[in-house]
C-alpha cells in the first residue's frame, strides 16, 4: 500500500500540466513573469503532458519502472 502511494506521489509531481507538478510550473511562471500563461500556452502544455503520459505508460513503461526503482533505492 505504501509503495502505491509513493508511486502516485512521484507521478503526480512530474512537471506535466494536468498533474500537480504542472500547476507548480505554471505558478512559478506567473511569479517570474508577473502574468498568467495564455490559454493557448496552457492548451499546448496540456497536450505535451498527455503525450508524456502516453509515452511513460504505454510506449516506454520500463523508464517509469527505472525511475521508481531508483527512488525506492534512495528511500529504503
Amino acid at each position: 500500500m505504501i509503495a502505491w502511494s509513493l508511486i502516485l506521489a512521484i507521478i503526480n509531481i512530474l512537471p506535466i500540466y494536468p498533474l500537480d507538478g504542472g500547476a507548480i510550473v505554471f505558478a512559478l511562471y506567473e511569479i517570474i513573469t508577473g502574468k498568467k500563461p495564455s490559454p493557448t500556452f496552457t492548451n499546448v502544455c496540456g497536450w505535451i503532458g498527455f503525450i508524456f503520459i502516453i509515452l511513460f505508460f504505454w510506449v516506454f513503461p520500463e523508464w517509469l519502472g527505472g525511475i521508481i526503482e531508483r527512488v525506492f533505492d534512495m528511500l529504503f
Side-chain angles (χ1 to χ4, degrees):
M1 189 62 125
I2 294 172
W4 283 108
S5 295
L6 286 173
I7 290 169
L8 288 175
I10 292 166
I11 292 171
N12 195 33
I13 202 68
L14 292 173
I16 299 171
Y17 170 62
L19 304 176
D20 289 340
I24 293 169
V25 169
F26 281 144
L28 289 174
Y29 175 85
E30 191 171 344
I31 289 169
I32 292 169
T33 64
K35 59 182 180 176
K36 289 187 151 213
S38 70
T40 304
F41 179 74
T42 306
N43 192 16
V44 169
C45 288
W47 277 107
I48 291 170
F50 178 72
I51 291 168
F52 271 105
I53 290 171
I54 295 296
L55 287 174
F56 268 135
F57 287 103
W58 284 285
V59 180
F60 302 111
E62 64 274 359
W63 289 0
L64 186 60
I67 292 169
I68 292 169
E69 274 185 37
R70 286 188 197 116
V71 170
F72 280 134
D73 288 343
M74 289 186 326
L75 293 175
F76 301 110

